[in-house]
Amino acid sequence: MPRGIRLAEHGHEDAQLCLVLEGEYLECARGRVWRLQPGTVWLRPAREQHSNVVAPEQDALTLLVSFRRERFAACERADAGPRLVSSLLLDELRAGLVGELRRGDAGAALALEGWALLLLSHAERAAAGMGAGTGAPPPWLHDARRMIEQSYRNRVSLATIAASLGIHPATLAAAFRRYYQVSVGELIRELRLRHARQRLRGSRAPIKQIAVEAGFYDQAHLGRCCRRRFGVSPGEIRRR
């Protein structure tokens, strides 16, 4: 989708999963606005009315997977609304998906079909968890995630997010585990690591500076987290 493009409200006949690979855009539906960034998976029911605005900085590359209604039945029974599907695994697949899209050969088509089914399995499991007697997540949970995505480079924590929303930290922690399958701390660390990895690949700034601006205590803290998450040091990420 070209940068800056605005798509008026519309719907699609089939249910869809949208995996954002590059760039970002806004999804507007049911009176709410979601910012979809690289690694985000967005679940959209059949004929759901929505509009889109692509960020002006760069084009948005999105893998858009449409499913016939019978393949999507489990998700629709659990919750008919659009929503995010959270999985750290899916962000790791993103680089491979971009490569396969650019190859465009017969092998790429098979790989994309396999990943499409993987996306559907994650969506169905998320829907099953959300539909176990509770329905959709509470509205404040979306606000909590948005606050984290906007302030993860600062000294944000479970306690500060809970206090700003006026809820108990244990309630927030349980909701994150239930609906996003990660803890608040894991999400904050993952966002910081993504930011640091992007800066390591795209700039020559000192690693110490990148560590601090991403929200880590120091370069050593970033190094430990990088080795646990990616299996390599920040310096190796930059060299590759």
Side-chain angles (χ1 to χ4, degrees), residues 15-18 41-45 72 75 79 81-85 123 127:
Q16 293 183 328
L17 283 167
C18 311
V41 179
W42 180 248
L43 174 64
R44 184 187 298 135
F72 207 67
C75 295
D79 181 5
R83 61 182 179 272
L84 294 168
V85 178

Side-chain angles (χ1 to χ4, degrees), residues 172-191:
L172 178 59
F176 252 78
R177 281 290 186 188
R178 179 164 196 170
Y179 293 107
Y180 295 138
Q181 293 81 53
V182 295
S183 70
V184 171
E186 288 169 344
L187 176 60
I188 294 171
R189 184 168 56 253
E190 180 68 16
L191 291 170

Side-chain angles (χ1 to χ4, degrees), residues 13-15 46-47 66-77 120 124:
E13 187 63 27
D14 294 324
R47 295 182 291 280
S66 298
F67 294 96
R68 291 189 301 274
R69 189 156 190 167
E70 59 269 22
R71 295 298 305 272
F72 207 67
C75 295
E76 288 196 335
R77 284 195 301 269
L120 181 59
E124 288 191 346

Side-chain angles (χ1 to χ4, degrees), residues 5-239:
I5 192 173
R6 294 175 176 268
L7 302 177
E9 190 171 72
H10 62 286
H12 303 276
E13 187 63 27
D14 294 324
Q16 293 183 328
L17 283 167
C18 311
L19 174 55
V20 184
L21 301 172
E22 296 175 349
E24 63 179 52
Y25 66 95
L26 301 179
E27 174 95 2
C28 310
R30 303 192 181 192
R32 291 181 62 91
V33 179
W34 289 267
R35 182 176 296 275
L36 307 183
Q37 300 173 312
T40 297
V41 179
W42 180 248
L43 174 64
R44 184 187 298 135
R47 295 182 291 280
E48 180 74 32
Q49 293 297 303
H50 62 283
S51 61
N52 304 105
V53 179
V54 178
E57 291 78 17
Q58 70 175 101
D59 300 341
L61 177 63
T62 304
L63 178 63
L64 186 64
V65 185
S66 298
F67 294 96
R68 291 189 301 274
R69 189 156 190 167
E70 59 269 22
R71 295 298 305 272
F72 207 67
C75 295
E76 288 196 335
R77 284 195 301 269
D79 181 5
R83 61 182 179 272
L84 294 168
V85 178
S86 178
S87 172
L88 301 185
L89 169 65
L90 297 175
D91 183 61
E92 287 300 290
L93 292 177
R94 183 162 54 90
L97 283 164
V98 172
E100 296 294 348
L101 281 169
R102 289 176 174 158
R103 286 189 185 93
D105 57 13
L110 288 173
L112 291 172
E113 183 176 358
W115 275 319
L117 293 173
L118 178 63
L119 291 179
L120 181 59
S121 72
H122 276 270
E124 288 191 346
R125 285 171 180 161
M130 293 171 71
T134 61
W140 50 258
L141 187 60
H142 296 295
D143 295 334
R145 179 156 187 152
R146 185 162 56 250
M147 290 175 64
I148 292 171
E149 290 172 346
Q150 292 173 348
S151 59
Y152 66 87
R153 288 185 287 173
N154 302 321
R155 293 293 175 233
V156 64
S157 66
L158 171 67
T160 58
I161 294 293
S164 65
L165 294 171
I167 59 176
H168 195 279
T171 302
L172 178 59
F176 252 78
R177 281 290 186 188
R178 179 164 196 170
Y179 293 107
Y180 295 138
Q181 293 81 53
V182 295
S183 70
V184 171
E186 288 169 344
L187 176 60
I188 294 171
R189 184 168 56 253
E190 180 68 16
L191 291 170
R192 288 172 175 171
L193 281 168
R194 291 182 193 179
H195 177 89
R197 182 171 61 179
Q198 184 178 16
R199 291 279 286 142
L200 287 165
R201 290 172 169 174
S203 80
R204 301 306 302 172
I207 296 177
K208 179 180 179 180
Q209 175 185 327
I210 291 174
V212 173
E213 76 175 25
F216 294 97
Y217 292 111
D218 52 29
Q219 182 174 338
H221 184 204
L222 171 62
R224 290 193 298 273
C225 292
C226 275
R227 291 184 183 90
R228 284 197 299 267
R229 179 70 172 84
F230 306 124
V232 294
S233 68
E236 182 63 21
I237 290 175
R238 169 164 281 174
R239 283 192 293 274

